[in-house]
Amino acid sequence: MANEYKIAFYGTLITLISFILIGILVPAMGALSRNYNLFGLAFASLAQFDIPIIGPLPPLSYENVVLMAIADVSTSNSSLILGLGVLGALPFAIGSVMTGYGFYGLYKQEESTICLITSLIMMIGFGALAVIIPLALLPSTIISPWTYLIYGYFSVIIPITQTVTVGMGFGIAIALAAIIIVVGYIVLGVTMIVMRQKTPNSDQMLAAGILSILGGLLFFGIIGIALVFIAYILLALVFKELKK
């Protein structure tokens, strides 16, 4: 059994590192997502004036309007955002699978069904986030009628609206990821509370379980993430003792 616990111990460390990495990447991705090229909008606006010395700019054809609209509403950093998403999700998934393997070892030792359920959630559910999150970040662009009207007729009066979309798949992927994370951490917390007497650090296991449940309920906020982070630290200490 010590081998499973050893793998789980390193898995918790990898997950902790992934939390730190995600904390760095999320603000960076937010900044990159706001980086748009507005040269097309500027050209469309100036084309409506007779510029001194230069004179009027060449008129925009329908094809040029569409192409310039695509250039403006498409974030130039979409591929980079996708790469950062993979970089954040992959270590989290790997660490979760390794941690789940430790609960599988606890299941074999104690024949506890709840340990098996937790193991499957972490290994399959959390592991699937390595695919679900990048799929949510795959970008696609639509040119709405409003975009064309703004470029063609009202570019001076009405500012351009964002028409970048990641499609219905984004909402589905985010909702699925949220369900997996919230349910996963609640089940993980319950498991740690139930199994605390079977570990050499029952108090730490109890505290980790309570923090995991609270963190799961509040996960999509700084407080929730911090609670889960602390729970992983305590869980790492428990697995460190179990692997001896």
Side-chain angles (χ1 to χ4, degrees), residues 3 6 10 13 27 39 49-50 59 71 76 79-80 91 94 99 105 116 136 146 158 169 186 191 206 208 229 231:
N3 188 50
K6 182 178 180 179
Y10 289 118
L13 296 184
F39 295 112
F49 296 98
D50 189 354
S76 59
S79 297
L80 182 56
I94 293 173
T99 304
L116 178 60
W146 274 110
I158 304 176
I186 291 175
T191 302
L206 174 62
F229 188 85

Side-chain angles (χ1 to χ4, degrees), residues 29-195:
M29 292 169 65
L32 290 172
S33 66
R34 293 191 295 269
N35 184 16
Y36 296 97
N37 301 309
L38 299 179
F39 295 112
L41 176 59
F43 187 95
S45 301
L46 292 174
Q48 301 183 40
F49 296 98
D50 189 354
I51 304 175
I53 302 176
I54 299 177
L57 295 175
L60 295 173
S61 66
Y62 174 80
E63 290 77 11
N64 287 334
V65 167
V66 173
L67 289 175
M68 294 172 78
I70 292 175
D72 275 1
V73 300
S74 299
T75 174
S76 59
N77 296 307
S78 57
S79 297
L80 182 56
I81 291 174
L82 175 60
L84 293 177
V86 173
L87 184 61
L90 192 57
F92 176 80
I94 293 173
S96 296
V97 170
M98 294 172 67
T99 304
Y101 189 57
F103 280 95
Y104 178 71
L106 197 58
Y107 156 71
K108 290 195 298 183
Q109 177 179 318
E110 304 295 338
E111 297 184 353
S112 172
T113 303
I114 194 170
C115 285
L116 178 60
I117 294 172
T118 301
S119 173
L120 293 175
I121 290 176
M122 298 194 73
M123 296 177 69
I124 299 176
F126 283 13
L129 295 178
V131 176
I132 294 173
I133 293 177
L135 285 177
L137 296 174
L138 285 175
S140 61
T141 303
I142 58 170
I143 302 300
S144 69
W146 274 110
T147 305
Y148 177 74
L149 287 174
I150 289 169
Y151 269 84
Y153 303 100
F154 306 116
S155 58
V156 176
I157 303 173
I158 304 176
I160 189 171
T161 57
Q162 179 180 338
T163 57
V164 173
T165 180
V166 282
M168 185 179 296
F170 176 77
I172 294 174
I174 293 300
L176 183 59
I179 292 172
I180 291 173
I181 290 172
V182 172
V183 173
Y185 281 128
I186 291 175
V187 173
L188 174 62
V190 172
T191 302
M192 289 191 287
I193 293 173
V194 171
M195 301 301 298

Side-chain angles (χ1 to χ4, degrees), residues 189-228:
V190 172
T191 302
M192 289 191 287
I193 293 173
V194 171
M195 301 301 298
R196 67 186 186 278
Q197 299 296 340
K198 305 295 183 179
T199 65
N201 309 79
S202 59
D203 292 340
Q204 291 181 354
M205 197 71 157
L206 174 62
I210 295 172
L211 291 174
S212 181
I213 293 172
L214 294 175
L217 294 172
L218 304 172
F219 187 78
F220 295 95
I222 296 177
I223 295 177
I225 295 174
L227 293 176
V228 172

